[in-house]
Amino acid sequence: MTKADATPVLELTGIGKEFGAIRALHGVDMQVMPGEVVGLMGDNGAGKSTLVKIIAGNFRPSHGEIRFAGNAVHFSRPVDARAVGIEVVYQDLALSDNLTAAANVFLGRELKRKFGPIALLDHKAMAARAL
């Protein structure tokens, strides 16, 4: 299968977001292909954070469609986005610099291995999932 034949992992079509009379986003189209890394840049107030929050399930779009692995999805909250594998690590001010990147991704919802009544952090599983 060539990259041209691949289904986008994430596809946004016509995404718009209004907060009352304020239009934060209008007509955003974007595709993320398997194995692709995407950077999002723009001036302050351009809508970058709003777009990321829509992808992460913090905000619902006012317009448009989100598809994940070819299927239409509707995220009402971040746990819905997490269920399909979407994670957001926010700016470094929100990170714990004494932890690894994987530990920051799972902060507050760490994966654990149980040994009877004892639960230990599963660092290997968190690193693999974060990757």
Side-chain angles (χ1 to χ4, degrees):
M1 175 187 299
T2 67
K3 190 171 182 177
D5 298 326
T7 299
V9 174
L10 179 67
E11 185 172 16
L12 309 177
T13 307
I15 296 295
K17 180 66 179 171
E18 288 93 29
F19 297 98
I22 305 297
R23 184 184 338 183
L25 295 173
H26 176 71
V28 175
D29 295 332
M30 182 175 113
Q31 288 186 340
V32 179
M33 300 305 289
E36 188 172 38
V37 176
V38 177
L40 186 59
M41 299 173 32
D43 292 333
N44 287 340
K48 302 176 301 292
S49 295
T50 301
L51 183 62
V52 168
K53 288 177 181 177
I54 287 172
I55 293 169
N58 297 88
F59 295 153
R60 293 186 71 147
S62 302
H63 311 282
E65 180 180 58
I66 302 172
R67 298 182 79 74
F68 189 83
N71 300 310
V73 292
H74 305 280
F75 304 139
S76 298
R77 50 203 174 127
V79 72
D80 299 335
R82 266 187 219 122
V84 300
I86 295 174
E87 292 283 352
V88 175
V89 177
Y90 291 95
Q91 293 177 342
D92 60 347
L93 296 176
L95 299 178
S96 296
D97 60 2
N98 61 321
L99 300 177
T100 65
N104 272 283
V105 167
F106 286 96
L107 195 58
R109 9 178 225 93
E110 292 83 358
L111 300 179
K112 297 176 182 154
R113 290 181 293 159
K114 288 200 163 219
F115 298 98
I118 299 171
L120 300 174
L121 294 179
D122 192 342
H123 295 286
K124 186 175 180 180
M126 287 188 288
R129 294 257 333 254
L131 183 62

